[in-house]
């Protein structure tokens, strides 16, 4: 498999933007990648936005984000309160915030939801990400769910077992409000990373996977 570096001496990785609909989406979708990037690029600046939360979930989200971003040069964590499960119907309000976001953040890479995700909130954010950040490298992460919408990703980021275990540990300890959900399982999170590791022949045996729709090499 051909490997392409996301950074170079001519274009160092300086800024990342992570977009998530709900309090645990970013961590589940790309937590091991976050840990790897922060470790390998301590000068990195991270902007982390969660669009829907209540008081308890906001506290969980902030605690989790701080743990994942520990070691980054700087981080900005934003927790919004757009109405959960209603994003397609309040998209104009969310679009206004995206317009504000693009004036404040100038990322090398944007991480967001998949445009074909079956959750309406996820899909709306993916569409608005592409509508707003039109000249950026966008990587769409995946989240396993009841609807069974996992696709065929084309970008893989290998992750060490240490990062995978750290990801699962932070998620399961931070988001205790989700313990009663049948899908909220460390085994599930780990299994998907192991499967993606097989698909990209990862030397570590684990990876996270993304969908990239446009890349200039």
């Amino acid at each position: 498999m051909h490997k392409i570096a996301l950074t170079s001496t001519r274009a160092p990785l300086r800024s990342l933007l992570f977009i998530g609909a709900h309090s645990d989406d970013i961590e589940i979708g790309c937590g091991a990648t976050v840990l790897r990037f922060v470790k390998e690029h301590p000068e990195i600046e991270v902007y982390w936005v969660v669009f829907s939360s209540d008081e308890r979930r906001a506290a969980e989200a902030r605690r989790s984000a701080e743990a994942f971003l520990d070691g980054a040069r700087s981080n900005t964590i934003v927790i919004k309160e757009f109405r959960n499960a209603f994003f397609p119907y309040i998209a104009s309000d969310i679009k206004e915030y995206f317009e504000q976001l693009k004036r404040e953040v100038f990322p090398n890479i944007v991480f967001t939801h998949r445009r074909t995700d079956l959750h309406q909130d996820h899909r709306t954010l993916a569409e608005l990400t592409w509508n707003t950040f039109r000249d950026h490298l966008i990587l769409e992460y995946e989240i396993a769910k009841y609807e069974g919408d996992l696709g065929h990703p084309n970008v893989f980021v290998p992750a060490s077992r240490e990062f995978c275990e750290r990801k699962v540990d932070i998620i399961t300890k931070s988001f205790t409000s989700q313990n009663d959900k049948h899908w909220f399982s460390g085994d599930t999170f780990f299994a998907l990373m192991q499967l993606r590791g097989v698909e990209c022949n990862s030397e570590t045996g684990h990876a996270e996977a993304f969908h990239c729709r446009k890349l200039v090499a």
Side-chain angles (χ1 to χ4, degrees):
M1 178 174 292
H2 187 64
K3 299 179 180 179
I4 297 177
L6 294 178
T7 62
S8 69
T9 54
R10 293 180 59 190
L13 192 61
R14 299 187 184 279
S15 177
L16 301 175
L17 170 61
F18 292 92
I19 291 172
H22 311 105
S23 293
D24 49 15
D25 286 343
I26 299 170
E27 294 91 333
I28 293 173
C30 52
T33 299
V34 174
L35 292 170
R36 177 179 169 180
F37 278 16
V38 169
K39 176 72 173 180
E40 294 180 354
H41 305 276
E43 74 286 355
I44 202 77
E45 297 179 353
V46 178
Y47 210 95
W48 182 289
V49 186
V50 176
F51 278 76
S52 178
S53 189
D54 56 29
E55 184 175 355
R56 180 181 180 184
R57 295 278 276 150
E60 292 178 337
R62 188 166 298 278
R63 182 168 58 248
S64 174
E66 289 173 350
F68 273 96
L69 300 177
D70 183 32
R73 176 184 177 184
S74 69
N75 67 71
T76 301
I77 301 169
V78 180
I79 313 294
K80 306 296 287 182
E81 297 181 350
F82 292 106
R83 188 178 180 186
N84 179 38
F86 279 76
F87 283 20
Y89 312 104
I90 57 173
S92 61
D93 293 334
I94 299 174
K95 170 64 174 173
E96 290 290 348
Y97 178 69
F98 266 91
E99 289 299 304
Q100 174 186 333
L101 195 59
K102 77 177 183 181
R103 294 191 295 268
E104 298 176 350
V105 189
F106 306 95
N108 298 112
I109 307 175
V110 181
F111 291 83
T112 192
H113 293 279
R114 288 170 46 228
R115 283 195 291 179
T116 53
D117 194 305
L118 291 182
H119 192 295
Q120 66 275 10
D121 292 353
H122 298 181
R123 191 169 58 251
T124 298
L125 288 190
E127 292 171 353
L128 288 173
T129 300
W130 278 95
N131 179 260
T132 305
F133 295 96
R134 299 176 59 84
D135 193 30
H136 293 72
L137 173 59
I138 298 175
L139 297 181
E140 302 174 7
Y141 57 81
E142 57 182 359
I143 297 179
K145 61 177 71 68
Y146 174 77
E147 287 81 1
D149 63 358
L150 293 178
H152 301 283
N154 53 10
V155 174
F156 296 84
V157 179
S160 68
R161 186 176 184 90
E162 175 188 358
F163 288 153
C164 294
E165 290 177 346
R166 175 71 172 149
K167 164 185 171 172
V168 171
D169 184 62
I170 296 174
I171 291 172
T172 54
K173 288 181 178 178
S174 297
F175 298 104
T176 55
S177 65
Q178 305 303 293
N179 285 339
D180 62 338
K181 304 293 178 59
H182 75 276
W183 53 265
F184 192 81
S185 162
D187 289 340
T188 299
F189 304 145
F190 213 97
L192 183 55
M193 291 187 287
Q194 194 164 13
L195 173 63
R196 297 316 190 194
V198 170
E199 292 180 342
C200 70
N201 195 26
S202 169
E203 293 180 359
T204 69
H206 304 88
E208 288 180 328
F210 304 87
H211 295 255
C212 181
R213 302 178 186 277
K214 185 178 292 187
L215 171 67
V216 178

